[in-house]
Amino acid sequence: MQQSHSLSAFSYAISNGIERASYYGIRSILIIYMVGESLQVPENDALEFYGMLTMSFYISKVFGALLGDLLIGNKTAILIGGLLQTLGCFLLCVENVSMLYVSIALIVIGSGLFAPNVFGQFGKQYINKTKIIDAGLSGYFLFINLGGMLGIIIIGYLGDKNFNYGFIFGGILMLTATLIAYFSKNRTIDETQIIKEKSNEILKKIVFVFVAIILAGVFWACYEIYFGSVLSLSIIGAIDVGNFYEMTSFGAIIILGILTVIWTFVYTNQFSKFCIGLLISALAVSLLITLPETSNDGNTNIIFISGLLLALGEAFLSPMLYAITTRYSNPKYLAILLSLVGLPILMFNKIAGKISEFTYDFKPTGIFIALTSVLILFGIIACIMWFFQKRDDHKLLLKVK
């Protein structure tokens, strides 16, 4: 049976991309707004608040997913969350510290309701579409990255002119995203049949998802430490870190677009992509091992090539955790599960941050050697899982031919 992407999947991906443009755009000007002449929040307080804000979004998504899947329905959660987030953006125009906190609370609660339920609805478009689920999730991450980048550029530009312009535009984006998602058609799914088909080998499916969480977590931890080490190179003048971030972000968008097309027509299982992504990332890091701690054009080129390779590795593996979760989950609780599997990534990032605090006295060379070794090790583990999932694919794909 021929499998294809649905218009609803595209609508949910567009909606989420627009929401990410609003979220990242507002976030990019928030601290400058807080410490500016209007509010005059102390810089340390603003930075501490910003850190709490990031954590709050992860937590709110779990509660939003629970409400959407178990109580009020995904579409209702999307509508309420989107309207709350829109209102929060507009209320930021009121130059008052108390109203600032009210606005941020509305944005956090709204995003917690909106984002996981849109993600869950998107994932349901690919239930029993094993051949193209990786393409679908790669496309979804493409819109996340594209929306985030454009939101930072556009809202950042408007915020430089007048903060209220940025906040109003963020609210308009959010309202647009809400309407697109709310009026997107749901795919009708025979959940009873799916549950029956997936109840035979529960332990195997739990193992697949658990290993995927570990592999993704290790990658993002290494990613965090890698960028911290690259930042240390920027301090000694080896690279302009701003250009480096822009280059890798743009590279990730281009690569995700290409891979979305490839995975639509060519199927290889998710752990094969984990394996390739981790090994490419190991190659990216290994390029920096012999890098001299001096600034010259040759060094800069090597670092940029390393960043592009890391973006390629990220594009291979980043969507696969959610592809595996979608494939092996009960769609009735998909928003919950998609929000929960992201929490360990946050934990891995926190661990990486703590590790980075103890690596300041180490030379970058030693850090890059350690990261390369870890990525190769877990790439080998992904290769082993590739073999086990390949046997599972053989049985599953016979049903969809």
Side-chain angles (χ1 to χ4, degrees), residues 4 12 56 58 70 92 118 120 132 148 153 178 193 197 211 218 230 253 260 295 315 356 372 390 393:
S4 60
Y12 284 121
S56 299
Y58 281 96
L70 301 180
L92 283 170
V118 167
I132 60 169
I153 293 172
T178 303
Q193 182 65 26
E197 289 177 357
V211 174
V218 167
V230 169
I253 290 170
T260 299
S295 176
S356 296
T372 300
K390 188 175 181 180
D393 278 346

Side-chain angles (χ1 to χ4, degrees), residues 112-394:
L113 285 164
F114 184 90
N117 286 289
V118 167
F119 201 3
Q121 291 295 92
F122 175 85
K124 289 178 183 178
Q125 309 308 307
Y126 290 93
I127 298 299
N128 283 349
K129 291 187 176 183
T130 306
K131 289 184 176 180
I132 60 169
I133 190 172
D134 298 352
L137 268 296
S138 295
Y140 194 79
F141 274 73
L142 165 64
F143 282 106
I144 288 176
N145 282 271
L146 183 61
M149 185 181 72
L150 292 177
I152 290 171
I153 293 172
I154 298 171
I155 293 179
Y157 172 79
L158 293 173
D160 284 340
K161 302 294 182 182
N162 186 306
F163 285 114
N164 287 348
Y165 295 163
F167 297 145
I168 291 171
F169 186 69
I172 293 171
L173 286 176
M174 197 57 239
L175 182 60
T176 303
T178 303
L179 294 175
I180 291 173
Y182 184 73
F183 289 106
S184 296
K185 291 184 179 180
N186 290 340
R187 180 186 171 202
T188 302
I189 301 171
D190 185 354
E191 294 183 354
T192 304
Q193 182 65 26
I194 292 170
I195 295 168
K196 181 179 179 181
E197 289 177 357
K198 292 192 172 186
S199 63
N200 299 324
E201 299 175 316
I202 295 176
L203 179 60
K204 178 191 67 179
K205 292 163 187 173
I206 292 173
V207 170
F208 281 158
V209 174
F210 176 78
V211 174
I213 290 171
I214 298 299
L215 294 175
V218 167
F219 168 78
W220 286 113
C222 291
Y223 187 95
E224 184 91 3
I225 297 170
Y226 170 90
F227 270 95
S229 300
V230 169
L231 180 61
S232 71
L233 292 174
S234 74
I235 294 171
I236 62 172
I239 190 171
D240 182 334
V241 74
N243 288 338
F244 183 75
Y245 275 117
E246 291 175 6
M247 179 273 298
T248 54
S249 298
F250 186 72
I253 290 170
I254 297 297
I255 295 165
L256 278 169
I258 294 171
L259 292 181
T260 299
V261 175
I262 293 174
W263 302 151
T264 298
F265 299 101
V266 179
Y267 177 79
T268 57
N269 73 49
Q270 289 86 22
F271 283 108
S272 70
K273 299 178 181 74
F274 264 118
C275 176
I276 295 169
L278 287 164
L279 294 179
I280 290 174
S281 301
L283 175 60
V285 178
S286 69
L287 288 179
L288 305 183
I289 290 176
T290 59
L291 196 67
E293 294 185 6
T294 56
S295 176
N296 60 60
D297 291 339
N299 292 351
T300 301
N301 292 335
I302 291 172
I303 296 171
F304 275 114
I305 293 171
S306 171
L308 284 173
L309 283 172
L310 191 69
L312 177 60
E314 177 190 348
F316 263 88
L317 67 84
S318 185
M320 293 308 114
L321 169 60
Y322 301 97
I324 287 174
T325 303
T326 301
R327 174 175 170 178
Y328 293 115
S329 297
N330 182 342
K332 185 177 181 181
Y333 308 110
L334 188 54
I336 297 172
L337 294 166
L338 288 172
S339 63
L340 286 175
V341 296
L343 289 180
I345 308 301
L346 179 63
M347 181 188 69
F348 276 96
N349 283 341
K350 292 295 182 183
I351 294 172
K354 292 296 181 182
I355 293 173
S356 296
E357 293 177 6
F358 295 100
T359 59
Y360 291 137
D361 296 330
F362 291 89
K363 290 185 177 181
T365 300
I367 298 171
F368 294 138
I369 291 174
L371 292 179
T372 300
S373 302
V374 170
L375 289 167
I376 290 174
L377 172 62
F378 281 89
I380 293 171
I381 293 173
C383 288
I384 295 170
M385 295 303 298
W386 177 358
F387 170 76
F388 287 109
Q389 195 187 27
K390 188 175 181 180
R391 296 196 309 182
D392 187 58
D393 278 346
H394 179 71

